[in-house]
Structures are given as C-alpha cells and as structure tokens.
Amino acid sequence: MPARTYRQVDTHIIEHLIGIAGAANVLLSAEDMEPYTHDEVVGFSADPEVVVRATSTSQVSDILKLAQREKVPVTPRGAGYGLSGGAVPVYGGIVLSLQKMNRILEIDKKNLMVTTEPGVIVGDLHRAVEEEGLFYPPDPASLDSCTIGGNVAEGAGGPRAVKYGVTKDYVSGLEAVLPSGEIVHCGGKLVKNVTGYDLIQLLVGSEGTLAVVTEIILRLIPLPKVQVDLLIPYDDFQAAADTVSDIIAHRIVPTAIEFMERDSVLAVERLLDKDVPHDDAEAHLLIQLDGNRQDAVDVDMELVGELALKHGARDVLVAKDQRTRDRLWETRRMIIDALNDESPVNHMEDVVAPRAELPSLLKGVKDIASRHSVRIVCFGHAGDGNVHVNVLKDRIPDVRWSDLVPVVREEIYRLTLSLGGTITAEHGIGATRRQYLHLALDEAQIDLMRHIKDVFDPHHILNPGKIFP
Ligand SMILES: Cc1cc2nc3c(=O)[nH]c(=O)nc-3n(C[C@H](O)[C@H](O)[C@H](O)COP(=O)(O)OP(=O)(O)OC[C@H]3O[C@@H](n4cnc5c(N)ncnc54)[C@H](O)[C@@H]3O)c2cc1C
C-alpha cells in the first residue's frame, strides 16, 4: 500500500475530541500515552498524537466522523495484547481505546447468547457465563488480559479450537461503526442467517481495518460437567505426533491437545522457580478431555493413556481437580513470558499446517535453526497444527540479528506453505507480517481484499499500515 499522508492532530481536533469524549478520556502527555505505543510484539512501537477512551457507540461514531472529515488516522485498540502490531498507531493520529466499553449487557439463557461490549476481558466473560452454567469456549492463552473486541478483530483462537472451534464460530451478531461514522447492525441472536453476504464473518478477523466493533452477540453452549487434563512426556516428538493422530483416528476429539518443547518447559521452570515433572523429556503433550458424564470421560481418558504409552510415552499424569489442572496449564500459559524473560529480544511466529504435517514442520524448523546457528523454541496447538515458533536472540550481536530475522522468517513461511499451511493461524498479519502476505496469498486475492478495504474505508483512515504490503 503506498505511504499515505494524513492531517496532523491540532488543537482544533483535540477540542472536538474533548467535546465528544470529555477531557478525562482524552490523553495527550507522552507519559499517559506510552502504554498505547506498543502491543506485545517485542521492540515494535509508534507514538499516537492523541488517545481517546470511548465510553459509548455514539462517541465512537462521532470520533470516526471527525477523523474522516479531517483525514486523521484512527487505530482501534483493546488491551494491546496483540502479537502482530495491530494496535500500534504506525501513522500516528488517534488511538481509539475501547477498554472502557466493558459491560456484559445480557446473558440470555433462553437463546443461549451473550451480548457484550468490546472492552470486556475474555476471562471475565468466561467466568460470568460459567456462573450461569454456560460456556464460551474460545480461550486464547492471554484470556485474562485481552478483550473480546480484540478477539473478534483478530479472529482469535486458543487450545480448545480442536473440539470447539475459534472466535468466528461463536459470533452471531455485531454492532460496528464504519469509518464514515455510520453504525451498522449485522445478524442477531440467530443460529441460522443467510441474508445477503456474511458481513459478520468479513468483520471477524479484519484486524480493525474495516470497522470498529462496539457490541458483540456470542453463541453459548452448556458448560460441560466433567473435565480431566493429562500431561504426557515423550522422548521423541514423532511419538507425540503419532499419539495425536492415533487419538483422532480412534474418534476421540479432545478439548485441547497442546505441545511444549523441552526448552519451553525449562524456561517456565526457571521463571516460576517450580518443577515440572519429566522436565528433561523432549516434548510434553497437554491433553484436555471434557463431557457431561464422568464414566464416558474416564473411558476416553483410559484409551488416550493407553495410546500414549503404546507410542512410547514415559508416563501419563492425570489432573482431575482444579488446583492440579491450574498447575499444568500455568506451565503452558507462561511460556511466552518465560521466553521473553530468557531472551528479551526474540521473534515469534504463528504458523499453521495440516495437523498430520506437524512432525515435518518441526523438523524443518529445527533444520533452519541449525543452519543459521540460532536457538528456536516451539510450542503450540498440536491438535490443530498451529505452532508458535520462537526465534531467540540470546547473545547474537545486534547487526547479525537484524540480518538474520528476515531470512529465518521467510524460510519458516516457505517451509509452512510447502506443507499446505499458512503464515498465521491466530495472531494476524497486522503491521509485522504484511510484507510477507504475498507469499501466502496470490495477487488476485490481495486485490480483492484491497477493493473491500476501499469500499469500507475510501480514505484509509481506519488502522492504516496493517495487513496490506
Ligand atoms: C501471552 C500471550 C498469549 C496469547 N495467546 C493467544 C492465543 O492463545 N490465541 C490467540 O488467538 N491469540 C493469542 N495472543 C494474542 C492476543 O492476545 C490476541 O490477538 C487478542 O485477540 C488481542 O486482544 P486485545 O484486546 O489485546 O487487542 P489489541 O492488541 O488491542 O488489538 C488487536 C487488533 O484488534 C483491533 N481491535 C481491537 N479492538 C477492536 C474493536 N473493538 N473493533 C475493531 N478493531 C479492534 C486492533 O486495531 C488490532 O488490530 C496472545 C498474546 C499474548 C501476549
């Protein structure tokens, strides 16, 4: 996308913004705006000219009308927990925070739907619906920090994708504000809806480039009554992968099948100063099963255990109570923090391949690591083929590191594509992957997407510098 020029935010625009959102919700000092300069991508930031914290849909609409009239860029933002620079205001302008729109508006038990504002923290949403015996399955590892609006904008996934799918599978209605300021309502509390093009699915995963999401209706399901988690250590990743294939071939679909490489487990142990059983194993699988009847879940658990041991697992550790389960999942959830602690400069990829290609993907990544003499640690979602590949700088000199990262990235992408995969499964293209979009999509598809962007946002005021090369 050619570089665009935008109008600078001046006192006239600031006065208007204060008129819309109130002085307390308009941040101007460098200190107040610092948290809005970056997301969770290491070493990537840009300064906004002003931050506005909206508290209602009509404020969002007025802000966008002003921005479009004055040709000022607007970057929507949830919690800033993204991993692709999506909420970073690369063209300056206005950062539009949705964090204060954080009310759960209705839990509708008759229709099994929840209506929520976008700034609600995903973990809070989980707890609120679970108190009613209901379940919203998508569970990004960042769930206690990120917002549901950010999840919708990124099309977020999580470990439970294996059995329950991802965010897009649960959105049945959206209120969104177009860059013109017009407010649109798509869908509703509907299980079925084929009325015209599916604008909901277009907006889900559009990374804040087409519209600002201000209200979300999500489908719920009954909360499973029984849950069990297994931690299974292996001396060989291939054996772990074979277990996964065998479990699926036996028509058991676990809630989650996560894998953790030895280096990722060791990093968490060092960070938390806690022992993980069999920490010298090459790989761990973390498998969750759920259902409504203890005896049925127990039958599946026994079979999963047998299959794991048949494929050479060292042990099968079972967690049935919440405290033990939390301990197992803490290891998985803390990996990103632990790797950041280990090597504060690092680079993370989020590739996905067909599940059966996982061993080839991991082997190929290890070959890339040894060819370039760099440490690469992998973990992720063995159940759905999504691998988080972490390239660690460790003590590599700065100059070599900046030359190395683009080369390693491109090799990882080409390897994944050659296996029938793609370059991001859940973290999005954002600002940090856009120069590689052409590797994954052909020109015709990128052109179609550009046209869609032009229709929604002819002046490109909404989240410019994202997705498109
Ligand atoms: C430790 C860690 C673990 C993670 N684990 C996972 C995981 O398991 N699965 C996963 O999918 N992701 C994961 N992520 C990535 C991240 O949490 C998700 O992308 C999440 O959806 C970001 O939400 P957020 O509220 O922080 O959004 P932000 O980072 O603030 O924004 C993300 C994007 O959404 C846009 N946006 C935000 N709100 C709106 C809105 N209301 N309307 C329109 N656009 C909007 C922004 O412009 C930006 O492009 C992880 C991140 C971390 C740091």
Side-chain angles (χ1 to χ4, degrees):
M1 192 181 289
R4 286 182 177 257
T5 46
Y6 293 96
R7 183 168 164 190
Q8 283 205 325
V9 174
D10 56 18
T11 47
H12 155 82
I13 292 172
I14 288 168
E15 275 166 20
H16 268 83
L17 290 171
I18 291 174
I20 294 167
N25 286 321
V26 176
L27 310 182
L28 289 163
S29 76
E31 192 186 354
D32 287 346
M33 291 195 293
E34 194 288 328
Y36 301 86
T37 60
H38 59 86
D39 63 3
E40 289 293 306
V41 174
V42 177
F44 183 73
S45 66
D47 293 334
E49 291 163 78
V50 57
V51 174
V52 188
R53 298 181 295 190
T55 56
S56 69
T57 302
S58 65
Q59 286 185 4
V60 172
S61 168
D62 289 346
I63 292 163
L64 288 173
K65 278 182 194 155
L66 172 71
Q68 166 136 311
R69 195 170 63 235
E70 303 291 347
K71 306 289 175 294
V72 173
V74 176
T75 305
R77 183 180 176 99
Y81 254 69
L83 285 169
S84 54
V88 177
V90 291
Y91 282 91
I94 300 168
V95 164
L96 175 55
S97 168
L98 283 308
Q99 259 182 317
K100 281 195 160 183
M101 292 178 66
N102 60 358
R103 289 173 308 155
I104 296 174
L105 300 173
E106 185 197 20
I107 298 173
D108 180 344
K109 293 207 264 186
K110 287 190 185 143
N111 286 304
L112 295 189
M113 299 275 171
V114 57
T115 305
T116 175
E117 290 187 328
V120 172
I121 298 295
V122 177
D124 293 340
L125 184 73
H126 279 189
R127 285 181 280 276
V129 301
E130 283 170 22
E131 271 175 27
E132 306 293 336
L134 298 172
F135 191 34
Y136 173 67
D139 60 337
S142 51
L143 60 87
D144 279 320
S145 306
C146 63
T147 66
I148 188 67
N151 278 202
V152 169
E154 291 290 359
R160 293 181 192 139
V162 191
K163 179 167 177 178
Y164 291 111
V166 296
T167 306
K168 74 177 165 62
D169 301 310
Y170 291 86
V171 184
S172 76
L174 286 179
E175 176 187 81
V177 186
L178 302 178
S180 62
E182 194 175 341
I183 300 166
V184 293
H185 293 93
C186 309
K189 293 177 181 174
L190 303 172
V191 176
K192 290 175 165 181
N193 178 3
V194 291
T195 316
Y197 290 149
D198 194 339
L199 295 181
I200 294 175
Q201 291 300 334
L202 183 56
L203 293 180
V204 175
S206 64
E207 304 190 29
T209 62
L210 300 180
V212 179
V213 172
T214 47
E215 204 171 293
I216 305 154
I217 301 175
L218 298 164
R219 199 164 62 81
L220 302 172
I221 57 176
L223 182 66
K225 295 191 174 78
V226 186
Q227 191 176 311
V228 62
D229 293 83
L230 310 174
L231 183 69
I232 313 180
Y234 291 85
D235 288 319
D236 169 23
F237 183 77
Q238 183 65 51
D242 291 343
T243 308
V244 174
S245 305
D246 220 1
I247 292 170
I248 305 286
H250 278 78
R251 294 186 296 281
I252 297 176
V253 182
T255 319
I257 314 178
E258 298 288 292
F259 80 95
M260 305 180 281
E261 254 195 355
R262 177 171 42 223
D263 276 0
S264 62
V265 170
L266 293 175
V268 176
E269 279 192 323
R270 282 191 285 268
L271 180 73
L272 300 181
D273 197 16
K274 275 186 188 167
D275 288 338
V276 176
H278 297 280
D279 60 2
D280 58 334
E282 182 175 318
H284 282 83
L285 286 183
L286 180 54
I287 299 183
Q288 184 172 92
L289 299 161
D290 70 9
N292 283 329
R293 286 181 36 202
Q294 187 71 56
D295 54 344
V297 173
D298 284 347
V299 168
D300 284 354
M301 181 187 73
E302 293 294 332
L303 184 53
V304 167
E306 280 167 29
L307 293 173
L309 294 171
K310 182 184 100 185
H311 287 286
R314 280 191 191 181
D315 202 352
V316 177
L317 306 163
V318 179
K320 281 192 173 174
D321 63 279
Q322 191 60 43
R323 209 174 65 85
T324 325
R325 275 210 300 271
D326 287 347
R327 269 188 43 219
L328 296 189
W329 280 94
E330 182 184 38
T331 309
R332 167 64 185 85
R333 293 217 164 97
M334 291 306 290
I335 292 176
I336 294 182
D337 289 316
L339 294 176
N340 283 337
D341 188 62
E342 200 108 312
S343 175
V345 179
N346 62 60
H347 180 81
M348 183 175 179
E349 287 302 337
D350 166 50
V351 290
V352 58
R355 186 164 44 208
E357 300 294 347
L358 214 53
S360 309
L361 181 56
L362 285 181
K363 184 179 172 312
V365 167
K366 292 296 161 189
D367 290 346
I368 293 170
S370 68
R371 215 169 34 252
H372 293 287
S373 308
V374 60
R375 194 153 68 106
I376 301 187
V377 180
C378 297
F379 67 95
H381 314 288
D384 57 36
N386 178 198
V387 183
H388 299 317
V389 180
N390 295 263
V391 189
L392 304 185
K393 179 170 182 287
D394 292 332
R395 292 201 178 81
I396 294 174
D398 293 353
V399 178
R400 188 173 160 247
W401 175 251
S402 25
D403 290 344
L404 184 71
V405 171
V407 176
V408 168
R409 289 182 77 179
E410 187 157 340
E411 287 188 23
I412 293 169
Y413 291 150
R414 288 194 186 280
L415 165 70
T416 313
L417 293 162
S418 75
L419 296 168
T422 194
I423 65 176
T424 174
E426 52 183 27
H427 296 168
I429 295 292
T432 56
R433 293 191 182 87
R434 65 194 182 117
Q435 68 272 38
Y436 299 99
L437 189 70
H438 67 282
L439 294 179
L441 300 180
D442 55 39
E443 222 16 77
Q445 292 181 74
I446 296 176
D447 257 9
L448 266 176
M449 291 183 191
R450 281 190 202 281
H451 288 317
I452 291 170
K453 169 72 178 169
D454 289 342
V455 169
F456 273 80
D457 185 16
H459 304 288
H460 288 220
I461 58 147
L462 197 57
N463 215 355
K466 309 295 158 66
I467 299 185
F468 297 101

